[in-house]
Amino acid sequence: MTVIDLTHVIAPDMPVYPGTEGPKFLPANSYEQDGFKETLLTMYTHTGTHMDPPAHLFAGRTTLDAFPVSQFVGKAVVIDCTDLSEGGRITMDHIQRQKADAEQAEFVLFHTGWSRYWGTERYFGDYPCITPQVADYLTASGKKGVGLDTIGLDPIADADLTLHKRLFREHDIVIIENLDNLDRLGPGLFTLCALPLRHADADGSPIRAVAMVD
């Protein structure tokens, strides 16, 4: 079995959503003074490669800690969307190209190639996004989650987060954003493990996402 890391490194100078403060690493204990090293890490719950639950946008909806841990592991497929340019839209045509695997998958991950801009201003630009029809497919087919190698599911100009709300209003599905290394996964199904921190009332969490390929 091959294990592929799909997670960006968390660091003080990492890209974060515009207007959000980056993570802070503060020394709490040192080898010299305390005999061990410990760091105080401060960051937002939607930092780096992270997961959104319905409670991110709707009060009273499901938080990450309320999901069973099985929600975060399952069969996944990467849908190749690298034919799209800036402002492009991921449509049902992209899913139809890999229809058999998409039907079996519990997670659908969209590879746009946008992760190559990680660390540049372009990453926050007009990245490809899904269409409402794709959002409806994901909920109608009962997927556990959807993931992308971009900073968001919605266009960055959509402050109302229309597509997030379309998924979250009535469905227990999770959204994974800022994935990496999707280019290392070819066609076919694999096992995705995307575990959030287990903290109370979790409106989101950084995750360690890995692909396990037989």
Side-chain angles (χ1 to χ4, degrees):
M1 180 176 65
T2 301
V3 180
I4 299 172
D5 200 338
L6 307 180
T7 317
H8 286 290
V9 174
I10 294 174
D13 59 348
M14 70 184 294
V16 293
Y17 200 86
T20 302
E21 190 176 358
K24 295 180 179 179
F25 290 67
L26 301 176
N29 299 95
S30 67
Y31 301 122
E32 296 77 15
Q33 184 172 338
D34 306 292
F36 62 93
K37 182 179 180 181
E38 191 169 16
T39 302
L40 175 62
L41 173 58
T42 304
M43 63 181 175
Y44 284 79
T45 49
H46 298 262
T47 296
T49 306
H50 69 274
M51 182 179 288
D52 299 350
H56 179 39
L57 294 182
F58 294 105
R61 293 284 286 118
T62 312
T63 57
L64 288 177
D65 52 302
F67 278 110
V69 71
S70 58
Q71 179 76 25
F72 312 125
V73 180
K75 293 184 293 183
V77 65
V78 170
I79 303 295
D80 186 358
C81 305
T82 54
D83 59 324
L84 295 174
S85 55
E86 287 188 79
R89 290 294 177 263
I90 299 166
T91 70
M92 285 303 300
D93 287 341
H94 291 93
I95 293 174
Q96 289 296 330
R97 299 172 195 170
Q98 294 168 253
K99 181 179 179 181
D101 288 333
E103 290 298 313
Q104 296 184 59
E106 296 165 284
F107 292 88
V108 177
L109 311 182
F110 295 107
H111 174 215
T112 69
W114 209 255
S115 61
R116 67 185 181 275
Y117 301 126
W118 180 258
T120 72
E121 284 300 315
R122 190 172 181 181
Y123 191 73
F124 305 106
D126 200 7
Y127 46 80
C129 297
I130 67 171
T131 60
Q133 291 75 26
V134 169
D136 291 344
Y137 164 79
L138 295 168
T139 54
S141 57
K143 303 305 184 192
K144 289 182 176 180
V146 54
L148 307 95
D149 54 358
T150 64
I151 201 167
L153 185 78
D154 293 275
I156 201 160
D158 184 4
D160 195 47
L161 301 178
T162 305
L163 292 168
H164 274 74
K165 290 179 178 178
R166 196 177 187 103
L167 290 174
F168 284 156
R169 185 170 281 107
E170 297 179 358
H171 300 277
D172 276 347
I173 187 172
V174 297
I175 299 172
I176 304 169
E177 296 169 332
N178 295 323
L179 286 166
D180 194 20
N181 293 325
L182 294 183
D183 59 310
R184 296 182 59 187
L185 292 161
L189 295 168
F190 59 91
T191 299
L192 176 71
C193 183
L195 298 179
L197 297 174
R198 193 182 186 192
H199 65 87
D201 300 321
D203 57 76
S205 174
I207 62 172
R208 188 65 178 265
V210 299
M212 293 172 281
V213 184
D214 292 328

mmCIF file of all heavy atoms in Angstrom, residues 67-73 144 194-196:
data_model
loop_
_atom_site.group_PDB
_atom_site.id
_atom_site.type_symbol
_atom_site.label_atom_id
_atom_site.label_comp_id
_atom_site.label_asym_id
_atom_site.label_seq_id
_atom_site.Cartn_x
_atom_site.Cartn_y
_atom_site.Cartn_z
ATOM 1 N N PHE A 67 -20.121 14.316 14.329
ATOM 2 C CA PHE A 67 -20.089 13.240 13.334
ATOM 3 C C PHE A 67 -19.424 11.996 13.928
ATOM 4 O O PHE A 67 -18.477 12.110 14.713
ATOM 5 C CB PHE A 67 -19.277 13.662 12.114
ATOM 6 C CG PHE A 67 -20.012 14.502 11.105
ATOM 7 C CD1 PHE A 67 -19.690 15.840 10.938
ATOM 8 C CD2 PHE A 67 -21.000 13.947 10.299
ATOM 9 C CE1 PHE A 67 -20.340 16.618 9.995
ATOM 10 C CE2 PHE A 67 -21.652 14.716 9.350
ATOM 11 C CZ PHE A 67 -21.329 16.053 9.199
ATOM 12 N N PRO A 68 -19.848 10.793 13.513
ATOM 13 C CA PRO A 68 -19.064 9.598 13.848
ATOM 14 C C PRO A 68 -17.744 9.640 13.089
ATOM 15 O O PRO A 68 -17.657 10.243 12.016
ATOM 16 C CB PRO A 68 -19.953 8.446 13.356
ATOM 17 C CG PRO A 68 -20.771 9.049 12.266
ATOM 18 C CD PRO A 68 -21.023 10.478 12.673
ATOM 19 N N VAL A 69 -16.717 9.039 13.650
ATOM 20 C CA VAL A 69 -15.399 9.100 13.013
ATOM 21 C C VAL A 69 -15.410 8.457 11.629
ATOM 22 O O VAL A 69 -14.585 8.796 10.762
ATOM 23 C CB VAL A 69 -14.333 8.455 13.930
ATOM 24 C CG1 VAL A 69 -14.509 6.937 13.979
ATOM 25 C CG2 VAL A 69 -12.922 8.856 13.518
ATOM 26 N N SER A 70 -16.358 7.580 11.374
ATOM 27 C CA SER A 70 -16.474 6.936 10.065
ATOM 28 C C SER A 70 -16.785 7.938 8.951
ATOM 29 O O SER A 70 -16.565 7.643 7.772
ATOM 30 C CB SER A 70 -17.547 5.848 10.098
ATOM 31 O OG SER A 70 -18.801 6.389 10.490
ATOM 32 N N GLN A 71 -17.307 9.128 9.322
ATOM 33 C CA GLN A 71 -17.600 10.161 8.329
ATOM 34 C C GLN A 71 -16.338 10.617 7.604
ATOM 35 O O GLN A 71 -16.405 11.106 6.471
ATOM 36 C CB GLN A 71 -18.240 11.368 9.025
ATOM 37 C CG GLN A 71 -18.573 12.545 8.113
ATOM 38 C CD GLN A 71 -19.808 12.310 7.255
ATOM 39 O OE1 GLN A 71 -20.684 11.513 7.629
ATOM 40 N NE2 GLN A 71 -19.904 12.999 6.134
ATOM 41 N N PHE A 72 -15.176 10.430 8.228
ATOM 42 C CA PHE A 72 -13.943 11.020 7.728
ATOM 43 C C PHE A 72 -13.034 10.031 6.994
ATOM 44 O O PHE A 72 -11.915 10.371 6.618
ATOM 45 C CB PHE A 72 -13.184 11.652 8.891
ATOM 46 C CG PHE A 72 -14.044 12.515 9.771
ATOM 47 C CD1 PHE A 72 -14.114 12.290 11.137
ATOM 48 C CD2 PHE A 72 -14.806 13.536 9.229
ATOM 49 C CE1 PHE A 72 -14.919 13.077 11.949
ATOM 50 C CE2 PHE A 72 -15.618 14.332 10.028
ATOM 51 C CZ PHE A 72 -15.676 14.102 11.400
ATOM 52 N N VAL A 73 -13.537 8.819 6.794
ATOM 53 C CA VAL A 73 -12.772 7.778 6.099
ATOM 54 C C VAL A 73 -13.677 7.105 5.084
ATOM 55 O O VAL A 73 -14.846 6.812 5.384
ATOM 56 C CB VAL A 73 -12.229 6.719 7.090
ATOM 57 C CG1 VAL A 73 -11.441 5.649 6.350
ATOM 58 C CG2 VAL A 73 -11.377 7.369 8.170
ATOM 59 N N LYS A 144 -20.162 11.410 1.474
ATOM 60 C CA LYS A 144 -19.713 11.864 2.788
ATOM 61 C C LYS A 144 -19.060 13.237 2.702
ATOM 62 O O LYS A 144 -19.152 14.032 3.642
ATOM 63 C CB LYS A 144 -18.711 10.879 3.379
ATOM 64 C CG LYS A 144 -19.274 9.547 3.820
ATOM 65 C CD LYS A 144 -18.169 8.681 4.436
ATOM 66 C CE LYS A 144 -18.713 7.374 4.968
ATOM 67 N NZ LYS A 144 -17.627 6.537 5.569
ATOM 68 N N ALA A 194 -9.275 11.568 6.297
ATOM 69 C CA ALA A 194 -9.185 13.010 6.491
ATOM 70 C C ALA A 194 -9.720 13.336 7.879
ATOM 71 O O ALA A 194 -10.918 13.600 8.058
ATOM 72 C CB ALA A 194 -9.983 13.747 5.415
ATOM 73 N N LEU A 195 -8.842 13.320 8.875
ATOM 74 C CA LEU A 195 -9.264 13.403 10.268
ATOM 75 C C LEU A 195 -9.125 14.812 10.825
ATOM 76 O O LEU A 195 -8.028 15.356 10.889
ATOM 77 C CB LEU A 195 -8.443 12.439 11.127
ATOM 78 C CG LEU A 195 -8.578 10.946 10.784
ATOM 79 C CD1 LEU A 195 -7.685 10.129 11.702
ATOM 80 C CD2 LEU A 195 -10.020 10.480 10.886
ATOM 81 N N PRO A 196 -10.231 15.402 11.278
ATOM 82 C CA PRO A 196 -10.163 16.702 11.948
ATOM 83 C C PRO A 196 -9.794 16.521 13.415
ATOM 84 O O PRO A 196 -9.912 15.424 13.978
ATOM 85 C CB PRO A 196 -11.595 17.228 11.811
ATOM 86 C CG PRO A 196 -12.438 15.992 11.826
ATOM 87 C CD PRO A 196 -11.621 14.931 11.123
#
